[in-house]
């Protein structure tokens, strides 16, 4: 027993306890969106896009080159400031925790989902659409109540993989710097989303890079989701061919199957209707599912934290052997 306690309080596991502390702070101490540092980053990204991606016709190659240089321009000052703080700091773990807390921003999605639920329970469909709009890219004006719930569940599941668990993954691999750099790239990719016509070529380089960075953590997150929901139904979706059409389809098909519901269907972007493949099981969503998905991602969070602890135990054991 004493050996276990010594391991838990060892220097190698300090980074894990930082992770636990930051996860708890992020869950229970809500920082309004307008005061969050990532909001400033998004405004800078939009300002840069407005200058670079103009209404004047440009060659595809020029837009792609601009799309490579733009994230470098925004990342360079961020990395420089981080490097200076780390080099001068006598308490590097403190700055690790600040970087992780900045990167691990997910409660806004939870808060908006709760507002959507409250509006739908009060039969305020227009208000529900307005509450949903900040956390989805699609147009919400034409959504029915069932469409609102579908879009909300899809947003929660995808953002949980991309915004939350992927940040934790890169923290485990590369510390607070890795987590923050990943999150900055994610926010840039989201601000310059290729689903919007004007960013089709400009946003392409960042999107390809972020998809590569999301591949492994998203697959691992799906394991957490099906363990937190329904292992049998979720595992059955792993052998379905449609799960492998894209990363987002992999996440949605496995998660929807585990929840026993149907997701996907038509969505509007730039006044253009895009029919997304249906995924999951035939059962249509209800308002209760929008609350249930919050319970599932909360449970999946703690599954992920247990997996992170096992990862640190493994690295500790390897270090002791060598």
């Amino acid at each position: 027993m004493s050996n276990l306690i010594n391991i838990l309080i060892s220097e190698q596991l300090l980074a894990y306890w930082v992770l636990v502390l930051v996860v708890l702070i992020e869950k229970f101490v809500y920082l309004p969106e307008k005061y969050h540092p990532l909001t400033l980053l998004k405004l800078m990204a939009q300002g840069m896009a407005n200058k670079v991606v103009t209404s004047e016709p440009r060659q595809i190659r020029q837009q792609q080159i601009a799309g490579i240089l733009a994230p470098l321009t925004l990342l360079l000052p961020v990395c420089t400031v981080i490097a200076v703080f780390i080099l001068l700091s006598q308490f590097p773990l403190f700055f690790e925790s600040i970087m992780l807390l900045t990167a691990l921003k997910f409660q806004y999605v939870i808060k908006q989902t709760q507002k959507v639920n409250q509006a739908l329970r009060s039969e305020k469909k227009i208000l529900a659409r307005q509450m949903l709009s900040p956390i989805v890219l699609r147009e919400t004006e034409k959504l029915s109540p069932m469409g609102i719930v579908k879009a909300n569940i899809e947003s929660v599941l995808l953002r949980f993989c991309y915004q939350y668990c992927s940040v934790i993954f890169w923290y485990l691999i590369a510390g607070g710097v890795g987590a923050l750099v990943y999150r900055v790239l994610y926010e840039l990719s989201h601000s310059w989303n290729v689903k919007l016509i004007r960013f089709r070529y400009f946003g392409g380089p960042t999107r390809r890079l972020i998809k590569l960075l999301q591949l492994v953590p998203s697959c691992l997150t799906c394991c957490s989701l099906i363990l937190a929901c329904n292992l049998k139904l979720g595992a059955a979706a792993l052998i379905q061919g449609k799960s492998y059409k894209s990363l987002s389809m992999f996440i949605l098909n496995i998660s929807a199957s585990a929840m026993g519901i149907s997701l996907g269907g038509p969505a509007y972007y730039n006044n253009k209707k895009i029919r997304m493949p249906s995924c999951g099981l035939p059962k249509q969503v209800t308002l209760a599912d929008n609350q249930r998905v919050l319970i599932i991602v909360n449970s999946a969070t703690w599954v992920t934290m247990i997996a992170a602890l096992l990862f640190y135990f493994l690295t500790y054991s390897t270090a002791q052997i060598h």
Side-chain angles (χ1 to χ4, degrees):
M1 186 68 182
S2 60
N3 287 338
L4 178 61
I5 294 173
N6 289 334
I7 293 171
L8 289 174
I9 62 175
S10 65
E11 187 177 345
Q12 287 89 341
L13 263 73
L14 277 178
Y16 175 75
W17 298 119
V18 168
L19 173 61
V20 172
L21 178 62
V22 169
V23 165
L24 291 173
I25 292 172
E26 197 277 335
K27 275 185 175 295
F28 298 112
V29 181
Y30 178 64
L31 181 64
E33 184 78 357
K34 62 182 178 180
Y35 298 123
H36 201 282
L38 290 176
T39 303
L40 175 61
L41 175 72
K42 286 188 280 189
L43 292 173
M44 291 170 63
Q46 290 166 6
M48 178 175 285
N50 290 335
K51 290 182 179 179
V52 177
V53 187
T54 61
S55 57
E56 298 175 6
R58 279 184 148 193
Q59 291 184 357
I60 294 173
R61 186 65 180 162
Q62 285 181 313
Q63 291 196 33
Q64 289 174 336
I65 292 172
I68 294 171
L69 295 175
L72 292 175
T73 304
L74 288 172
L75 266 177
L76 188 60
V78 172
C79 292
T80 302
V81 171
I82 290 171
V84 170
F85 273 113
I86 290 176
L87 288 171
L88 298 178
S89 173
Q90 295 182 3
F91 305 100
L93 273 179
F94 172 74
F95 288 102
E96 289 273 317
S97 63
I98 295 298
M99 287 185 283
L100 179 59
L101 184 59
T102 302
L104 201 68
K105 183 181 84 125
F106 185 66
Q107 283 307 301
Y108 179 69
V109 179
I110 303 296
K111 297 285 185 186
Q112 290 303 114
T113 300
Q114 291 169 343
K115 290 176 183 178
V116 169
N117 288 340
Q118 186 176 0
L120 288 175
R121 279 195 295 267
S122 303
E123 298 184 351
K124 297 177 180 178
K125 188 166 61 175
I126 295 175
L127 179 60
R129 289 169 178 163
Q130 291 172 347
M131 295 299 102
L132 175 65
S133 185
I135 59 171
V136 297
L137 186 66
R138 72 184 69 188
E139 296 166 9
T140 60
E141 292 83 2
K142 300 177 183 178
L143 288 177
S144 64
M146 188 176 73
I148 293 170
V149 172
K150 265 192 179 184
N152 202 159
I153 292 173
E154 290 174 12
S155 178
V156 170
L157 291 171
L158 292 173
R159 286 175 180 266
F160 179 66
C161 287
Y162 299 156
Q163 291 185 199
Y164 198 77
C165 290
S166 291
V167 169
I168 292 175
F169 175 86
W170 286 109
Y171 172 77
L172 297 178
I173 300 298
V177 176
L180 186 58
V181 169
Y182 164 79
R183 185 57 189 262
V184 168
L185 286 170
Y186 170 80
E187 292 296 340
L188 296 180
S189 176
H190 198 262
S191 296
W192 306 329
N193 202 300
V194 295
K195 289 181 180 177
L196 301 176
I197 295 172
R198 66 188 292 239
F199 297 130
R200 182 179 298 172
Y201 304 111
F202 177 75
T206 310
R207 177 181 172 82
R208 285 190 287 273
L209 175 59
I210 204 68
K211 285 298 178 188
L212 185 64
L213 296 175
Q214 289 169 343
L215 183 59
V216 174
S218 293
C219 293
L220 294 174
T221 304
C222 284
C223 295
S224 298
L225 287 167
I226 61 177
L227 285 171
C229 188
N230 190 310
L231 179 59
K232 183 179 179 181
L233 292 177
L238 286 170
I239 59 173
Q240 296 175 2
K242 62 182 176 180
S243 293
Y244 301 93
K245 290 182 177 179
S246 67
L247 183 57
S248 59
M249 190 65 181
F250 181 84
I251 297 166
L252 292 178
N253 191 49
I254 290 173
S255 302
S257 297
M259 291 181 68
I261 58 174
S262 173
L263 295 176
Y268 285 88
Y269 299 94
N270 292 123
N271 295 315
K272 184 179 180 181
K273 186 177 182 180
I274 299 175
R275 188 165 292 278
M276 311 297 288
S278 61
C279 52
L281 301 181
K283 181 189 172 188
Q284 293 300 320
V285 298
T286 63
L287 180 56
D289 293 315
N290 214 28
Q291 183 61 40
R292 187 159 68 101
V293 74
L294 297 182
I295 298 170
I296 291 168
V297 297
N298 185 60
S299 301
T301 299
W302 299 115
V303 173
T304 301
M305 295 302 294
I306 293 170
L309 179 59
L310 294 176
F311 172 82
Y312 275 109
F313 268 124
L314 181 62
T315 55
Y316 177 84
S317 302
T318 305
Q320 292 297 106
I321 292 171
H322 293 291

